[in-house]
Amino acid sequence: MAHETAAFVDAHPRSAALHERAKDSLLSGLPMPWMTKWAGPFPPYVESATGAHFRCVDGHDYVDFCLGDTGAMAGHGPAATMAAVERQMRRGITHMLPTEDATWVGAELTRRFGVGSWQFALSASDANRWVLRLARMISGRSKVAVHDHCYHGSVDEAIAMLGPNGTVVPVQGSVGPQVDVAHTTRVVEFNDIGGLEAALADGDVAAVLFEPALTNVGIVLPEPGYHEAVREITRRTGTLLVIDETHTICAGARGATGLWGLEPDIVVIGKTIGGGIPSAAYGFSPEVASRVADAVAIDDSDVGGIGGTLAGYALSLAATRATLGEVLTTDAFDRMIPLAERWEEGVNAVIGASAVPWYVTRLGARAEYHFMPQPPRTGAEQWANSDPELERFLHLWAMNRRVLMTPFHNMALMSPATTAADVDRHTEVFAEAVEALFA
Ligand SMILES: Cc1ncc(COP(=O)(O)O)c(C=O)c1O
């Protein structure tokens, strides 16, 4: 670790200088606290990014498998999105009036996810917060349920996890919760049908907010029958099923909803759909849409807790139309998914040859290796098998060989611009790391 840290510092003098300077004006010298999660004493500062690569200010070209933690899943600066953004910039960026792009995007999201009546936000966090408000309003119920070790953004009710004896506690690091999450939230293990049944039995849960596969603690895939049971229990107990596709859009153009034939009441998606421009959306089944329409007092809706002056603004929707229409298309997924399979096969071959007890999971265009010999069934199992020091070492090793992984756990994402050579570079670097650690 000391050797790799020194190598990183040596190779990044300009990033180091920029970081030093930033300490004068930014808290911890970084624009956001989670940027301290990058392996190494400071992150590489970006000069430019194109496609599946970025160049740091020290002149190194990196293969980017982090892709802005899905924000740049469409690739850096996709041509169609950039053209649409440039066009829209000359025609007015924001005016709090609708543009035709909103209608196009709504229709496209309906085609992809089955639900309709879409609304827009600038982040998936906002979209989730607003959906939970609406769910409480139309159901008259106060609580929400989430998976243990979920992440849905800065959503108070979802910053919760299972504590001892099934209690609900704030996640480690939760910053100043305004209300004790034990009052707002039920938490259930992923893949635990009995646990969900118990959590919803009292009939006081307005909505479950679920990722269809966990992606934020590490990839945890649903077992056969899990989603069917979730749908049956939520319907029987009158609980709204909210599926957050923000990361699981990696499963294919229609997300996990399309891949697994899910029947959500509400779909939320953010991050990637704007091709890097802030954009998020949430849509309702016809039945839920009519309940929302009946319940929301339109005259008061500007101050009701849902909204953002720039939500659904013209630039965001121009970018989203171009990204969905021309970049993150079915054809693009037909190229991205085989690349993730190649990544999975490469990493599996290294694991097999070295006999380390690790496992690779994949969901469409996203793949990940776990420090355990079998796939995790729950978030807690994945968490218990994580190893922050080892992760940091592997990420730093990769960065020193110009490969960027997502700074949280061991996840790689393919974009339409990623190539087989990019994937093979990761496999080589991973093989060298495993050899250095275990040979
Ligand atoms: C599943 C999921 N939902 C919501 C969010 C929040 O997205 P944002 O940070 O853009 O608000 C994230 C962020 O990682 C996410 O993974």
Side-chain angles (χ1 to χ4, degrees):
M1 193 74 189
H3 179 269
E4 291 300 316
T5 304
F8 182 84
V9 171
D10 274 0
H12 296 86
R14 293 199 63 210
S15 289
L18 287 177
H19 186 56
E20 274 314 302
R21 219 175 82 205
K23 286 180 186 166
D24 293 341
S25 59
L26 305 178
L27 189 66
S28 314
L30 290 164
M32 282 296 285
W34 38 260
M35 287 191 190
T36 54
K37 284 245 171 187
W38 290 106
F42 51 83
Y45 278 59
V46 177
E47 185 185 272
S48 61
T50 313
H53 286 234
F54 74 90
R55 195 178 169 77
C56 72
V57 292
D58 291 287
H60 307 299
D61 175 67
Y62 282 76
V63 183
D64 188 357
F65 287 109
C66 169
L67 295 167
D69 194 21
T70 312
M73 182 179 168
H76 295 293
T81 309
M82 294 215 307
V85 165
E86 281 172 13
R87 240 183 355 256
Q88 189 60 49
M89 299 254 268
R90 282 188 285 271
R91 298 164 67 191
I93 296 171
T94 187
H95 23 57
M96 227 172 67
L97 288 166
T99 55
E100 195 245 331
D101 289 336
T103 313
W104 190 96
V105 171
E108 174 64 8
L109 291 171
T110 301
R111 187 186 71 76
R112 291 192 185 212
F113 295 107
V115 297
S117 302
W118 291 85
Q119 297 280 273
F120 300 103
L122 295 182
S123 70
S125 296
D126 273 348
N128 280 326
R129 280 195 290 262
W130 302 345
V131 159
L132 294 185
R133 276 185 170 265
L134 288 166
R136 281 192 294 263
M137 177 173 216
I138 63 174
S139 67
R141 299 176 176 187
S142 64
K143 290 193 171 16
V144 303
V146 296
H147 282 131
D148 192 36
H149 291 282
C150 69
Y151 183 69
H152 295 280
S154 47
V155 178
D156 286 315
E157 301 90 327
I159 318 279
M161 64 188 290
L162 281 175
N165 308 318
T167 51
V168 173
V169 297
V171 303
Q172 191 183 314
S174 171
V175 178
Q178 50 183 321
V179 177
D180 181 353
V181 281
H183 296 313
T184 59
T185 308
R186 299 254 160 76
V187 179
V188 293
E189 291 276 22
F190 195 78
N191 278 324
D192 180 1
I193 297 170
L196 181 65
E197 185 87 58
L200 304 189
D202 289 350
D204 56 356
V205 175
V208 299
L209 172 59
F210 281 176
E211 267 198 297
L214 296 184
T215 65
N216 281 291
V217 63
I219 298 175
V220 184
L221 296 171
E223 291 180 337
Y226 181 58
H227 280 299
E228 289 78 359
V230 167
R231 188 60 279 197
E232 190 279 317
I233 297 166
T234 48
R235 277 211 177 107
R236 176 159 41 80
T237 56
T239 314
L240 294 166
L241 174 59
V242 184
I243 292 290
D244 182 348
E245 288 273 17
T246 298
H247 275 187
T248 50
I249 180 71
C250 63
R254 298 173 60 232
T257 297
L259 182 67
W260 294 325
L262 309 183
E263 295 173 6
D265 297 306
I266 303 174
V267 170
V268 173
I269 184 161
K271 293 200 190 189
T272 192
I273 58 171
I277 299 293
S279 180
Y282 52 105
F284 305 102
S285 69
E287 194 253 322
V288 175
S290 82
R291 285 167 70 190
V292 169
D294 288 347
V296 174
I298 296 291
D299 281 350
D300 301 327
S301 59
D302 54 338
V303 290
I306 291 178
T309 310
L310 274 77
Y313 78 125
L315 188 71
S316 171
L317 287 162
T320 307
R321 177 176 184 165
T323 306
L324 290 176
E326 298 174 66
V327 188
L328 288 176
T329 57
T330 303
D331 282 354
F333 279 95
D334 288 346
R335 294 194 309 279
M336 291 149 68
I337 292 173
L339 285 171
E341 287 167 352
R342 188 182 180 103
W343 192 97
E344 178 185 22
E345 282 158 20
V347 173
N348 258 331
V350 174
I351 290 173
S354 60
V356 281
W358 295 357
Y359 195 93
V360 189
T361 51
R362 185 179 59 77
L363 178 62
R366 189 190 296 281
E368 158 131 38
Y369 53 89
H370 307 257
F371 303 136
M372 54 195 292
Q374 74 286 331
R377 276 195 69 240
T378 65
E381 206 183 322
Q382 160 67 15
W383 184 251
N385 285 281
S386 67
D387 183 335
E389 195 183 4
L390 183 55
E391 267 167 30
R392 226 175 153 77
F393 171 79
L394 288 161
H395 293 186
L396 187 56
W397 177 281
M399 283 208 284
N400 278 336
R401 287 147 190 85
R402 313 302 170 235
V403 172
L404 190 80
M405 297 283 286
T406 314
F408 327 108
H409 41 101
N410 302 305
M411 202 161 72
L413 180 64
M414 310 298 138
S415 76
T418 307
T419 64
D422 295 335
V423 170
D424 294 348
R425 180 66 191 141
H426 172 268
T427 308
E428 259 169 52
V429 164
F430 178 71
E432 288 164 16
V434 168
E435 198 187 324
L437 283 167
F438 300 109

